[in-house]
Amino acid sequence: MNKLIQRLLRKHLPSDHDVTPLGALLHAFEETLDQNTQDRLMLERSLMLTSDELNEINDTLIHQIKEIKTVKDQLEKAFIKQAAILDASLEGVISFTPEGQLDQANKTALKFLDLSLEEARSHSPKSLLRALLKNIHNTQSFIGNIRSTRNSKNKTLKGNFKTKDNKFFEYNIVPELMNNKILGSIFSFRDISESQNNQELLKYQAYHDNLTGLPNRTNILHTIKHAITLSKRYKHQAKILFIDLDDFKKINDTAGHEQGDRFLIEASIRLKSTLRESDTLGRLGGDEFLILLDNTHSQKQVKDLHSRILQTLAQPFMIKNNPYVISCSIGISSFLQDGNTPEELIRKADMAMYQAKKLGKNRSHYFDESLERLAIHRVKTEENLRAAIKNNDFILHYQPKIEIHKGQEKIIGVEALIRWKKEDGSLIYPDSFIAISEENGLIKKLTQWVLEESCRQLNIWKDTKLKNTPISINISAIDIADFNFVNSVISILDEHNIPGNLIELELTESVFFSDIASVNNKLALLHQKGVKLSLDDFGTGYSSFSYLQDLNIDYLKIDKSFIQNLSTNDRSLAIVKSIIDMGRNLGLSVIAEGVETQEDKSILLKADCHIVQGYLYSKPTTAEDIENLHF
Ligand code: C2E
Ligand code: CA
Ligand code: CA
């Protein structure tokens, strides 16, 4: 540095100028310069440092900005997505500021408010509430609910409202919280009209009969229960009428179920028309209806009502252009004398109805205690019957059918009549158990047993003088209605190796109450197999001749009630003669049953009846006894 300065001085000073004295000065310069150089170097160093830091900071900042941008993008995307999701929702969602100003709202909510987002935001809390309430029906409870949120700001609130166009909404108000600080509230609501309607529908269905729309059993039970309470409090004498249509099954079978349903609807309308406002009509199921009559019904009024009911049902029902007339049987039980629970009153009215049926239908019957005893007897008998079937506690008695017109009287067949053997050796006669076994279906098992037992007996008789003597078996309408009946008869015959012509079936006219065509088909199949058919108790049922012309019957059995009056009642004689004539004209053999006296027999013989059956010849008796008869 020193030399450099000296050189510069020599350049600018005269050449002879001594620069030595300047040494001190130079030295001072030099020092200063050094100092400056050092300072500069230091400065330079520190400047370099600062710029690195700045660069670093700059880099960090650039990075952070980038991150913020990414986050912002993501947030923006998420926000748009959330908004889109909210807009797509059928639920209306509105977020409010703590002051009650609208902050955000989705499309459904804005549609409900009938405002744009900007408009909604510009509304004051009050006018916004007004816009919300414009459509709402039960504003009072809604406002009350909203108000209550003010007092419990951090609680969720649920409620319902109904709109003026009858839609049901449910809503939710939840606080918008951040770190326990309330930022506002979210109000969401949705249309639940459909599910509400479904609920109402379900409720309706649970209490009403699907077909007729009448109150159903559950509903009636409720109503009766209520009526019982009133009856207890005010000493009302209310009544229950249990109504069962007579022979409705016949309509169902002949016209089909769909028409049967139409019939029931029409019947329910007619029944309803006979009642007063205060009376209740319900359907228990099938063709069973129930009427609850309130206090003011005297016995006479009940009787009048019954006549009205019968009258209205007696007007022909047109089904597929065919007129149908129907009657009903009614059982009546009285509050509280017959019971103090709905179930008991219905059960007793049912018992009384059953009795009305038994007494010939188309009538009403009041419950009394004897019916209960009968019902208990029925249940007990059914139990015992089941056990008897299991234990094989039956025997067959046989009663001969005698041919009387050929000079020598001769057994041409026997009728099998079932008896129930008791443990003590006594016998129970069919009149006290056949009807019950028909009701509960046990008859099918009995018939099967009778058929098998008869076949077994026929095989035993093969080697006796009774060989080739046919056995007649009584068949119930329930048997014939069973689709498997024909197969079962044929397979029993085949199993025992018995030809069809050794079995005859005795049917009463009741078998034709159901589908006549299908009965005819079944009987034709049996006939093909050689099985003969006999129309039993002829004259006591409908005695409609229409099925006589279509059916391959072999015998007509005149009911014993006509035979028993033969000698004393001219009309009976006239009927018997007519049946015999008709039978002959149709090519049928006529059998008279219940022949007890010689006089009866003579009259019948004179009237050209060739086959008789009755105590005159033999009471029904054991197979061994029959073998020893001398005819
Ligand atoms: P049903 O088929 O009319 O049988 C004739 C009934 O009259 C028999 O009564 C017989 O004992 C009785 N009887 C016969 N001759 C005379 C007579 O001269 N005078 C009087 N007063 N009665 C006579 P039972 O055996 O008590 O049978 C009653 C009814 O029970 C039968 O009437 C029949 O409908 C039914 N039944 C009997 N056995 C069976 C069976 O195995 N299956 C079915 N489904 N029903 C049967
Ligand atoms: Ca018979
Ligand atoms: Ca008979």
Side-chain angles (χ1 to χ4, degrees):
M1 171 60 69
N2 208 355
K3 282 174 188 155
L4 179 70
I5 294 169
Q6 280 180 5
R7 240 190 347 259
L8 284 171
L9 284 173
R10 270 187 212 110
K11 201 176 157 188
H12 295 287
L13 292 173
S15 54
D16 53 348
H17 197 284
D18 185 12
V19 292
T20 316
L22 290 173
L25 183 67
L26 272 174
H27 188 74
F29 263 130
E30 211 173 45
E31 270 190 349
T32 313
L33 242 164
D34 277 353
Q35 188 60 45
N36 281 346
T37 308
Q38 264 172 27
D39 282 355
R40 187 181 54 83
L41 282 174
M42 276 213 359
L43 198 71
E44 263 178 18
R45 221 177 293 132
S46 82
L47 266 176
M48 252 168 68
L49 255 173
T50 314
S51 134
D52 280 353
E53 266 175 26
L54 275 176
N55 277 342
E56 212 172 282
I57 288 169
N58 192 27
D59 283 351
T60 315
L61 275 176
I62 288 171
H63 185 72
Q64 279 179 349
I65 286 169
K66 244 189 190 164
E67 268 188 354
I68 287 170
K69 234 186 126 212
T70 319
V71 171
K72 186 183 157 241
D73 281 355
Q74 279 172 352
L75 273 175
E76 233 168 46
K77 265 191 205 154
F79 184 80
I80 291 168
K81 196 168 182 159
Q82 289 296 337
I85 290 172
L86 277 178
D87 278 344
S89 170
L90 296 176
E91 200 162 308
V93 185
I94 303 175
S95 74
F96 290 100
T97 64
E99 293 75 37
Q101 202 86 31
L102 184 139
D103 178 24
Q104 287 292 342
N106 71 346
K107 270 194 180 145
T108 308
L110 291 170
K111 198 171 159 209
F112 187 87
L113 292 170
D114 198 19
L115 296 170
S116 70
L117 184 59
E118 290 68 37
E119 285 169 338
R121 276 184 178 146
S122 68
H123 274 279
S124 69
K126 245 191 183 168
S127 70
L128 195 65
L129 186 62
R130 236 179 282 128
L132 195 60
L133 293 179
K134 204 170 64 189
N135 286 327
I136 295 179
H137 205 265
N138 47 344
T139 48
Q140 285 313 318
S141 69
F142 182 69
I143 293 171
N145 232 350
I146 301 260
R147 281 210 179 111
S148 73
T149 51
R150 294 202 185 130
N151 305 328
S152 49
K153 279 202 163 129
N154 52 0
K155 276 201 189 131
T156 300
L157 195 111
K158 285 175 190 299
N160 294 297
F161 61 79
K162 197 175 168 186
T163 56
K164 290 190 175 147
D165 53 353
N166 274 331
K167 286 185 179 160
F168 293 98
F169 279 77
E170 79 178 0
Y171 66 84
N172 234 357
I173 303 175
V174 273
E176 191 186 343
L177 295 172
M178 192 186 263
N179 299 330
N180 262 342
K181 254 185 77 185
I182 294 175
L183 302 182
S185 57
I186 313 272
F187 172 66
S188 66
F189 55 100
R190 66 188 176 119
D191 188 344
I192 52 159
S193 313
E194 218 158 88
S195 61
Q196 187 81 5
N197 286 340
N198 284 345
Q199 271 176 27
E200 296 213 337
L201 191 71
L202 284 177
K203 203 165 136 197
Y204 182 85
Q205 279 171 344
Y207 284 93
H208 290 85
D209 168 46
N210 253 348
L211 183 69
T212 59
L214 290 177
N216 63 7
R217 181 183 284 271
T218 318
N219 196 336
I220 296 169
L221 286 176
H222 275 301
T223 314
I224 298 177
K225 205 169 177 182
H226 181 65
I228 289 172
T229 315
L230 292 182
S231 211
K232 280 182 182 160
R233 196 176 302 157
Y234 302 112
K235 306 268 174 290
H236 275 190
Q237 251 300 317
K239 286 184 173 56
I240 282 178
L241 270 64
F242 195 113
I243 300 175
D244 190 291
L245 304 180
D246 296 331
D247 304 318
F248 172 69
K249 197 175 170 302
K250 199 176 158 194
I251 293 183
N252 240 354
D253 288 345
T254 50
H257 281 262
E258 205 180 301
Q259 297 301 321
D261 281 355
R262 279 190 48 208
F263 184 94
L264 286 172
I265 295 170
E266 174 67 21
S268 72
I269 294 169
R270 292 196 195 177
L271 285 173
K272 184 109 186 141
S273 72
T274 63
L275 299 178
R276 306 174 314 176
E277 274 291 283
S278 54
D279 301 328
T280 311
L281 171 71
R283 179 170 174 236
L284 294 179
D287 58 345
E288 291 177 350
F289 295 88
L290 200 125
I291 293 174
L292 170 67
L293 296 181
D294 76 2
N295 188 34
T296 54
H297 290 79
S298 65
Q299 289 233 0
K300 156 114 184 32
Q301 282 171 310
V302 174
K303 214 171 161 203
D304 289 347
L305 172 64
H306 182 213
S307 313
R308 283 206 300 281
I309 290 175
L310 291 183
Q311 259 171 27
T312 181
L313 292 180
Q315 306 295 319
F317 289 79
M318 294 305 290
I319 296 178
K320 283 189 184 160
N321 289 331
N322 290 320
Y324 282 83
V325 176
I326 207 166
S327 63
C328 69
S329 301
I330 303 178
I332 304 163
S333 66
S334 310
F335 289 39
L336 303 157
Q337 118 198 353
D338 294 335
N340 52 18
T341 65
E343 291 80 4
E344 196 181 0
L345 285 163
I346 293 179
R347 190 173 61 82
K348 290 187 170 169
D350 187 10
M351 268 185 226
M353 184 281 294
Y354 183 83
Q355 190 62 13
K357 289 249 188 227
K358 244 183 146 178
L359 294 174
K361 305 175 181 172
N362 194 26
R363 67 194 66 212
S364 59
H365 202 278
Y366 277 85
F367 171 80
D368 69 66
E369 291 304 324
S370 69
L371 295 181
E372 180 121 79
R373 285 195 293 278
L374 264 172
I376 292 169
H377 169 74
R378 244 196 341 262
V379 172
K380 193 92 200 116
T381 309
E382 184 179 332
E383 254 173 45
N384 294 340
L385 254 180
R386 283 183 199 280
I389 290 170
K390 242 192 197 161
N391 302 334
N392 231 344
D393 287 342
F394 298 95
I395 57 159
L396 285 185
H397 277 179
Y398 301 90
Q399 188 179 37
K401 294 180 194 173
I402 317 289
E403 194 179 59
I404 52 171
H405 69 296
K406 289 183 177 161
Q408 200 199 356
E409 294 176 337
K410 188 182 151 213
I411 297 180
I412 56 145
V414 293
E415 177 177 2
L417 295 154
I418 193 170
R419 274 90 182 93
W420 179 355
K421 270 185 313 188
K422 288 304 229 184
E423 258 173 39
D424 61 2
S426 63
L427 296 179
I428 299 182
Y429 287 82
D431 279 342
S432 47
F433 63 86
I434 292 293
I436 293 177
S437 65
E438 283 180 334
E439 277 164 30
N440 55 35
L442 287 175
I443 188 70
K444 292 189 213 167
K445 292 215 163 110
L446 288 181
T447 303
Q448 191 151 346
W449 180 84
V450 173
L451 260 162
E452 281 176 343
E453 178 61 16
S454 300
C455 289
R456 210 182 56 79
Q457 191 58 54
L458 283 167
N459 276 325
I460 293 173
W461 280 340
K462 256 183 184 160
D463 304 320
T464 70
K465 63 173 184 181
L466 285 172
K467 71 172 175 222
N468 297 333
T469 305
I471 296 183
S472 310
I473 289 161
N474 291 285
I475 299 294
S476 145
I478 312 289
D479 293 315
I480 299 277
D482 186 354
F483 76 99
N484 206 24
F485 176 68
V486 174
N487 282 342
S488 136
V489 172
I490 292 175
S491 67
I492 291 174
L493 288 175
D494 290 348
E495 252 169 55
H496 291 83
N497 206 15
I498 296 293
N501 63 355
L502 285 187
I503 288 289
E504 295 170 4
L505 302 183
E506 298 197 1
L507 320 159
T508 59
E509 288 162 291
S510 63
V511 303
F512 301 104
F513 286 177
S514 52
D515 186 0
I516 294 177
S518 106
V519 171
N520 281 352
N521 287 341
K522 288 177 185 170
L523 296 181
L525 284 171
L526 288 167
H527 219 246
Q528 269 172 24
K529 180 84 182 165
V531 175
K532 295 225 171 70
L533 304 173
S534 178
L535 205 50
D536 207 356
D537 300 343
F538 192 75
T540 56
Y542 272 69
S543 298
S544 155
F545 300 127
S546 64
Y547 52 75
L548 284 179
Q549 64 181 11
D550 300 331
L551 201 65
N552 284 320
I553 314 168
D554 304 281
Y555 301 103
L556 268 191
K557 275 186 108 170
I558 310 173
D559 190 68
K560 59 178 179 290
S561 59
F562 300 109
I563 307 298
Q564 259 137 24
N565 294 322
L566 210 53
S567 52
T568 51
N569 188 329
D570 287 348
R571 295 177 82 85
S572 288
L573 180 60
I575 291 171
V576 168
K577 277 184 174 168
S578 313
I579 297 175
I580 294 169
D581 282 350
M582 187 194 67
R584 192 180 42 242
N585 293 335
L586 287 170
L588 307 174
S589 301
V590 177
I591 304 172
E593 66 172 10
V595 179
E596 292 182 355
T597 64
Q598 282 294 343
E599 199 185 353
D600 295 340
K601 178 191 138 189
S602 306
I603 297 171
L604 287 163
L605 198 55
K606 234 164 97 190
D608 257 346
C609 175
H610 301 157
I611 307 167
V612 296
Q613 188 184 342
Y615 294 172
L616 176 64
Y617 292 93
S618 167
K619 287 198 163 180
T621 184
T622 59
E624 295 76 38
D625 286 350
I626 292 286
E627 284 171 42
N628 295 326
L629 286 175
H630 298 290
F631 293 109

